[in-house]
Amino acid sequence: LYSRYCSYFIDTSFDTNNKPGRRCYSYLHFTIEETEVKVIAVDEKLNVTYEESVNFDKELPEFGTQGGVHVHSDKLTVTSPVLMWVKALDIILEKMKSSGFNFSQVKALSGAGQQHGSVYWKRGACKTLKNLSPDLPLHQQLKFSFSLSDCPIWMDSSTTVECRNLEKAVKGAQNLSDITGSRAYELSNFAASLFLGSYTPIDYGDGSGMNLLNIRKKSWSQLCLDACAPELEEKLGPAVPSSSVLGPISSYHVQRYGFNSECKVIAFTGDNPASLAGMRLEEGDIAVSLGTSDTLFLWIKEPTPALEGHIFCNPVNSQEYMALLCFKNGSLMREKVRDESASGSWDEFSIALRSTEIGNCGNLGFYFDVMEITPETTGRHRFNADNQKVSNFPKEMEIRALIEGQFMAKRIHAEKLGYRIVPRTKILATGGASHNRDILQVLSDVFNAPVYTIETANSACLGCAYRAIHGVAIGENISFTDVVKLAPEPRLAAVPTAGAAQVSTSGGKGEREGMEPFPDSFCNQSYLSILCVKPSKSQACISEIMSPVLRRL
């Protein structure tokens, strides 16, 4: 039975009507990630007031994990001990109790787990959860409550055959994507029920990462359920909106730690939907994480699922959607080109971006030194202003070709999933490369939208804090936007360069006779037509050299 356990955010915030003599509340959030469990508390102004963590490898060595996981001999199976997570939660709650944390001020809690992890309860475990003794820690009472002691997590890749069988059962990968938001992947789903003291329903956001939920009907797809296991719908229970109040916290936590018996448990979700809430995206916004791998979070109104990327139900607006796109060739690819073309210097790298023109005078490059996820391909592919494949570019041109190519691919895939730029669109940039303003300028030019930087070290935690507040407030018809209005504002980093979204048709520098934009089916017209490349020639060249790459883009 899927049980949303692996990561929690308990939220407790000061009463917005706080007056002298009135009781104050705070919002507390727990996350259980691959390597640690973490807890954060925030006050009524959404300021972090308490932090604590437990590292699995260091503080729970008896479980023998490396990086919080067990990688099996086949190098495909990756699991984590379920009791390690339970014991880590025990430890962190005891740390909080020892520090004098006032659990009675917790007004509501919510949570998020590693997306695509899975925990399997034994039959009868619900009775155990409802009859926990406050005299004993959770891990001692639940050690016989799980069907699997080592649970597959998001890193597991051992179920390729099952994924293909699921796609076959629903008449193809694209049909599965249309129903559930993505094709089948070797992934699993985590859930949480320990704070409620009972099995908890799965929310739309978490459920839409399972390849079982019909993301438009917000109910389990019978076609997908039948392809997986008998009686699965009964085990899963109904999916619920992410803002649902599931009930009060269990008496176990009230008696053992002093939680207020009126503390509400808000539906838990996955870490990716929680991050969207933590970054406070709105319709038309994009969050771009520029790390080892680059990741895009998108707020989408009308999704068009594809074979690349994932569509989830939106965690703060159940009638809309979010999309997630991952690109493996991120910062490591940028660092390789920096070393090759800028003497290993980010300063020289930035000078090269500033000294070359938007559109790179028609020179286009796509760089995949490791097998890319979106799309599945590898190699470096360069095309000059005459639409011919070339083996290299001058150093400055190479740098701009890399950065423009990376961001163009992101926009192309985003629009393929149904994303559309609107007048109020903003881009929120995070990760190491977000500190380079020249890289952010290219990002702004490609998407024709302002770029802001935000601190998101705890975005998933904060997202569940915000969601817990929203879950309590939604009964009073208070919007999520109102809930987070006191959160720190992002900082403006770049605005589009004048003319970046337009194509000169007469006398523009770099114009060539007969210039035409790429068709929308191939790429985003507004930016790529700046490259001054004829579609017929460029597509022929691309089809010959990179058909599995840009045809899919």
Side-chain angles (χ1 to χ4, degrees):
L1 176 66
Y2 282 101
S3 159
R4 284 187 323 180
Y5 157 68
C6 189
S7 131
Y8 309 124
F9 301 10
I10 304 179
D11 276 296
T12 60
S13 112
F14 288 108
D15 192 332
T16 55
N17 297 316
N18 184 34
K19 297 178 181 178
R22 288 183 63 88
R23 185 170 187 173
C24 296
Y25 295 97
S26 0
Y27 290 80
L28 183 70
H29 1 286
F30 291 84
T31 58
I32 298 181
E33 303 168 352
E34 296 99 285
T35 60
E36 65 180 357
V37 58
K38 181 188 296 183
V39 61
I40 297 176
V42 299
D43 64 17
E44 67 166 337
K45 295 183 179 179
L46 308 184
N47 297 312
V48 175
T49 60
Y50 181 89
E51 292 187 68
E52 186 58 84
S53 64
V54 173
N55 182 278
F56 299 141
D57 292 357
K58 294 179 180 178
E59 299 183 61
L60 294 163
E62 63 269 30
F63 291 97
T65 58
Q66 291 186 335
V69 305
H70 292 145
V71 179
H72 295 232
S73 58
D74 62 1
K75 305 301 182 182
L76 298 174
T77 306
V78 184
T79 62
S80 290
V82 62
L83 283 180
M84 178 181 72
W85 300 324
V86 181
K87 190 171 183 179
L89 183 61
D90 285 330
I91 292 173
I92 204 165
L93 286 169
E94 292 297 333
K95 283 185 176 183
M96 295 174 71
K97 185 176 181 179
S98 298
S99 73
F101 184 85
N102 190 347
F103 291 98
S104 69
Q105 292 181 345
V106 177
K107 188 173 184 179
L109 65 87
S110 185
Q114 301 175 43
Q115 200 88 32
H116 315 298
S118 54
V119 175
Y120 298 86
W121 293 102
K122 278 186 178 178
R123 189 178 300 275
C126 189
K127 183 177 180 181
T128 303
L129 284 169
K130 292 179 178 179
N131 293 280
L132 294 169
S133 169
D135 298 325
L136 296 173
L138 291 171
H139 73 275
Q140 291 185 17
Q141 301 183 73
L142 296 174
K143 57 185 176 182
F144 300 118
S145 295
F146 302 99
S147 298
L148 294 178
S149 58
D150 287 290
C151 296
I153 66 165
W154 71 272
M155 299 166 65
D156 185 89
S157 299
S158 64
T159 57
T160 300
V161 172
E162 289 81 357
C163 289
R164 301 293 82 80
N165 287 342
L166 175 58
E167 291 176 348
K168 183 178 179 180
V170 299
K171 300 180 181 179
Q174 182 60 57
N175 196 39
L176 181 64
S177 184
D178 291 338
I179 296 170
T180 70
S182 68
R183 65 181 304 170
Y185 288 92
E186 300 86 342
L187 302 170
S188 46
N189 180 54
F190 277 124
S193 57
L194 297 184
F195 285 105
L196 191 67
S198 180
Y199 295 154
T200 59
I202 296 173
D203 85 300
Y204 296 158
D206 212 11
S208 51
M210 296 169 62
N211 286 122
L212 295 176
L213 187 78
N214 185 313
I215 60 172
R216 291 180 173 82
K217 295 181 179 179
K218 308 296 190 296
S219 61
W220 304 116
S221 165
Q222 194 62 50
L223 186 63
C224 296
L225 295 175
D226 292 343
C228 291
E231 301 177 358
L232 188 53
E233 185 172 10
E234 178 184 353
K235 293 181 172 68
L236 292 173
V240 299
S242 300
S243 58
S244 299
V245 177
L246 303 181
I249 194 168
S250 74
S251 59
Y252 172 85
H253 293 285
V254 174
Q255 296 176 47
R256 185 173 178 86
Y257 297 108
F259 277 90
N260 189 317
S261 61
E262 296 181 358
C263 170
K264 293 179 173 63
V265 179
I266 310 301
F268 295 5
T269 193
D271 54 358
N272 292 314
S275 292
L276 179 137
M279 290 183 283
R280 294 171 286 131
L281 294 191
E282 298 177 350
E283 182 184 348
D285 288 350
I286 292 182
V288 182
S289 176
L290 301 172
T292 302
S293 295
D294 290 347
T295 305
L296 262 65
F297 293 89
L298 313 164
W299 182 303
I300 292 179
K301 198 172 185 69
E302 295 293 338
T304 54
L307 295 182
E308 287 88 19
H310 307 263
I311 302 290
F312 299 90
C313 297
N314 193 303
V316 300
N317 185 332
S318 61
Q319 300 306 308
E320 298 190 3
Y321 302 86
M322 65 166 282
L324 179 69
L325 284 164
C326 295
F327 300 83
K328 189 177 292 186
N329 289 269
S331 65
L332 296 181
M333 189 69 250
R334 290 186 287 271
E335 289 169 6
K336 282 186 178 181
V337 173
R338 176 205 62 186
D339 294 343
E340 297 166 0
S341 301
S343 304
S345 167
W346 284 119
D347 288 338
E348 288 189 26
F349 193 95
S350 292
I351 291 171
L353 287 176
R354 293 194 298 269
S355 65
T356 48
E357 296 181 1
I358 295 175
N360 214 17
C361 297
N363 297 284
L364 177 64
F366 296 91
Y367 300 75
F368 311 114
D369 274 14
V370 297
M371 179 59 71
E372 185 51 75
I373 303 170
T374 313
E376 296 179 10
T377 192
T378 188
R380 296 189 184 187
H381 310 275
R382 305 175 183 88
F383 302 92
N384 65 17
D386 295 321
N387 312 312
Q388 297 172 332
K389 187 189 177 188
V390 295
S391 59
N392 58 71
F393 286 143
K395 292 182 177 181
E396 293 82 2
M397 189 178 292
E398 177 88 336
I399 290 170
R400 178 166 283 276
L402 165 72
I403 301 301
E404 286 189 341
Q406 285 187 328
F407 291 146
M408 284 189 286
K410 290 171 176 55
R411 178 165 177 176
I412 291 163
H413 279 287
E415 293 186 340
K416 187 175 181 182
L417 289 176
Y419 172 76
R420 295 295 179 266
I421 292 175
V422 297
R424 62 179 178 276
T425 289
K426 61 181 179 293
I427 301 172
L428 304 177
T430 69
S434 67
H435 298 291
N436 187 310
R437 296 305 172 95
D438 296 291
I439 290 178
L440 297 187
Q441 184 61 60
V442 178
L443 174 61
S444 179
D445 291 338
V446 168
F447 280 87
N448 190 36
V451 175
Y452 296 80
T453 56
I454 52 176
E455 177 54 56
T456 59
N458 299 309
S459 61
C461 287
L462 293 176
C464 279
Y466 303 157
R467 289 179 51 254
I469 303 171
H470 186 223
V472 173
I474 199 169
E476 302 174 15
N477 202 28
I478 298 174
S479 69
F480 183 80
T481 300
D482 288 335
V483 166
V484 300
K485 64 185 178 182
L486 293 178
E489 290 295 324
R491 298 177 296 275
L492 181 64
V495 296
T497 302
Q502 301 170 353
V503 178
S504 171
T505 57
S506 60
K509 184 175 181 180
E511 180 190 23
R512 290 191 297 278
E513 183 179 359
M515 179 189 71
E516 298 175 4
F518 282 103
D520 287 334
S521 60
F522 177 74
C523 61
N524 177 270
Q525 177 176 333
S526 62
Y527 185 80
L528 285 189
S529 51
I530 298 174
L531 299 176
C532 306
V533 181
K534 292 183 180 179
S536 57
K537 292 184 179 179
S538 63
Q539 289 185 27
C541 191
I542 289 166
S543 297
E544 178 184 354
I545 307 300
M546 305 174 58
S547 56
V549 186
L550 293 184
R551 189 169 64 242
R552 300 171 96 179
L553 291 177

